[in-house]
Amino acid sequence: MNAPAVRVDEPLDDFIARHRAALAENEARHIVMLGLLDIAEADRTKTLRTWSLGEGGACAVLGPGRLLLGDLDEPQCAALAEAMTNETYRALVGPDETAKWFVARAEALGRRFRYVMPQRIMALTGPPRTPDAPGAARSVTAEDIERLADWLDAFVAEAVPNDPPIPDERKAAIAASGDAFFWEVEGRPVSTAAIVRETGQTAGISLVYTPPAERGRGYAGAVTAAAVEAAYARGKRAASLFTDLRNPVSNRCYEKFGFTPVCDCHAYKPVAD
């Protein structure tokens, strides 16, 4: 059997025409890749590496340091690993078994990887079931930057410790964007969540953080629901988020709020020799 052909860095418009419609058939599954394509299409100064291994979603994209896999079968993942033997990237993420297949072939070729995290993509297509928590949501403003910055640092340290810190300029942009929300009780912020990306019909929710002393009271669910409602008010019809499968409590909570599983995905980091 012939190895799948690999098109590397084809013109962006050709790549988008080949793959975006197929990826958009399941926006929640591919929301990060779709978001990167939207950014690159709008701003041609943004660097985006691409690999095509077939039609309709059989692709991979390398954004800022992270390799994202599309709907690839095992031979396509092997062919991609062979084509990327000398490429540099800080992380690899793929839905279902794609990342595992890629890593198996890449390690056979001499590269080494460390397994980082089992994740699950979840989606909500109806009204969120808001927990009965005291308080109310409000938009974060630029004046909230100090508290938000501290909570974003805590989120990264706790939820995604293998990711680089969020740059200060990015924190300031999130605070000023109107996309981040606090849940407040008697005027005191107790939890936060944000809309971190938007595609055609779907908003991606992340940066959900509650300080340890405030946990167990429904605040995270309440502020997540507020972010979802804000996305719906903008015309989105669905929301999605990533959960850590090693944290069954948070997974059960999101299911209780109305989120349902879309697929599992796996993250790896290359290990330097």
Side-chain angles (χ1 to χ4, degrees), residues 28-193:
R29 178 181 173 93
H30 300 297
I31 190 169
V32 179
M33 185 183 290
L34 288 166
L36 289 175
L37 292 177
D38 289 346
I39 291 170
E41 186 178 38
D43 183 354
R44 297 305 174 110
T45 67
K46 301 293 185 182
T47 301
L48 192 68
R49 301 288 311 282
T50 65
W51 288 260
S52 287
L53 295 103
E55 302 301 320
C59 62
V61 166
L62 178 59
R66 181 166 53 174
L67 178 64
L68 304 174
L69 306 182
D71 290 324
L72 302 173
D73 61 24
E74 189 169 2
Q76 289 168 335
C77 288
L80 179 63
E82 293 165 7
M84 297 192 68
T85 301
N86 298 315
E87 298 287 348
T88 300
Y89 45 93
R90 63 172 175 80
L92 161 70
V93 181
D96 297 327
E97 301 299 304
T98 54
K100 294 181 179 180
W101 291 333
F102 179 99
V103 166
R105 182 57 184 150
E107 289 186 332
L109 295 170
R111 298 197 73 166
R112 294 188 298 135
F113 293 82
R114 176 169 60 85
Y115 186 64
V116 175
M117 183 184 299
Q119 296 176 302
R120 176 163 291 163
I121 301 173
M122 305 186 77
L124 176 70
T125 56
R129 294 194 288 268
T130 306
D132 185 18
R138 73 164 174 89
S139 295
V140 172
T141 70
E143 286 71 31
D144 297 308
I145 181 59
E146 185 174 348
R147 185 189 302 271
L148 182 67
D150 288 344
W151 285 2
L152 294 182
D153 287 340
F155 168 84
V156 171
E158 183 174 312
V160 285
N162 293 285
D163 283 6
I166 299 174
D168 289 343
E169 59 271 21
R170 175 60 179 152
K171 295 173 186 173
I174 293 170
S177 67
D179 293 336
F181 304 87
F182 280 157
W183 190 262
E184 290 188 330
V185 176
E186 297 179 350
R188 176 174 58 89
V190 294
S191 190
T192 190

